[in-house]
Amino acid sequence: SRVFFSASIIWGVVGPIRMFGIGSEYSPILFFFLFGAILPIPFWVTSKWKPQTKWLKKVHIPVLFSALMSIPPAPAGEFTTWFLVGALSKLLKELKPNVWRSRAYVFSAAMDCGVTLGVIVLFFSFQNNGIQFPSWWGTSEDCPLSKVNYYGYA
């Protein structure tokens, strides 16, 4: 309980000003509260203005943002794959709900096993045999972006 008390004092009294106060590194993040409050309004107004468009009623901005928050840092190409798999799964659920109900769990398990097997194959074929990752401009020390700070300035 002492650790929890200390953490609550640090983050409750000292932390917010140093982390999110005016001129701090993370102060621009506070504008996203305003952005999150304003962004649902155009979707709501458009759904009232054109009630025949049914997909507008399914747009839920807080769920969208919370789902994006849980995406781990990954290469940009993976976001497209996640979106395509999710969209195709949603389409299958709407068009053929019985097929989706019987195969969604198996498909999810197959995707997880495919990633795991791919990592195991890569480990045993490359890393275990002493083959090093190829050196290119993005992985070497002389990369022009290696000395760039958080804001993109060298």
Side-chain angles (χ1 to χ4, degrees):
S1 70
R2 203 85 170 117
V3 172
F4 183 74
F5 175 75
S6 299
S8 64
I9 293 297
I10 289 170
W11 284 106
V13 178
V14 179
I17 299 298
R18 295 185 88 184
M19 295 290 287
F20 303 108
I22 297 172
S24 68
E25 185 174 357
Y26 299 109
S27 64
I29 291 176
L30 295 176
F31 287 108
F32 284 96
F33 286 111
L34 180 63
F35 183 66
I38 292 173
L39 191 61
I41 295 172
F43 290 100
W44 180 76
V45 168
T46 310
S47 69
K48 296 296 181 192
W49 179 48
K50 294 191 176 238
Q52 67 271 18
T53 53
K54 300 197 187 304
W55 68 270
L56 280 172
K57 292 183 171 118
K58 296 180 181 178
V59 175
H60 197 268
I61 299 300
V63 171
L64 178 70
F65 281 157
S66 63
L68 288 174
M69 182 178 62
S70 63
I71 293 177
E78 291 184 16
F79 297 121
T80 319
T81 307
W82 294 335
F83 178 76
L84 285 174
V85 169
L88 290 175
S89 178
K90 175 72 173 157
L91 185 68
L92 183 65
K93 183 179 180 182
E94 288 183 359
L95 295 178
K96 298 189 180 226
N98 291 332
V99 173
W100 180 85
R101 195 175 300 119
S102 65
R103 293 186 173 88
Y105 184 74
V106 175
F107 179 70
S108 175
M111 296 285 279
D112 290 341
C113 288
V115 169
T116 305
L117 288 175
V119 168
I120 290 171
V121 167
L122 286 174
F123 171 75
F124 283 114
S125 60
F126 293 113
Q127 199 74 13
N128 201 27
N129 292 325
I131 300 172
Q132 296 298 321
F133 191 77
S135 180
W136 56 292
W137 69 268
T139 60
S140 65
E141 289 291 327
D142 57 338
C143 172
L145 300 177
S146 66
K147 293 164 185 63
V148 173
N149 65 8
Y150 176 78
Y151 296 105
Y153 299 117

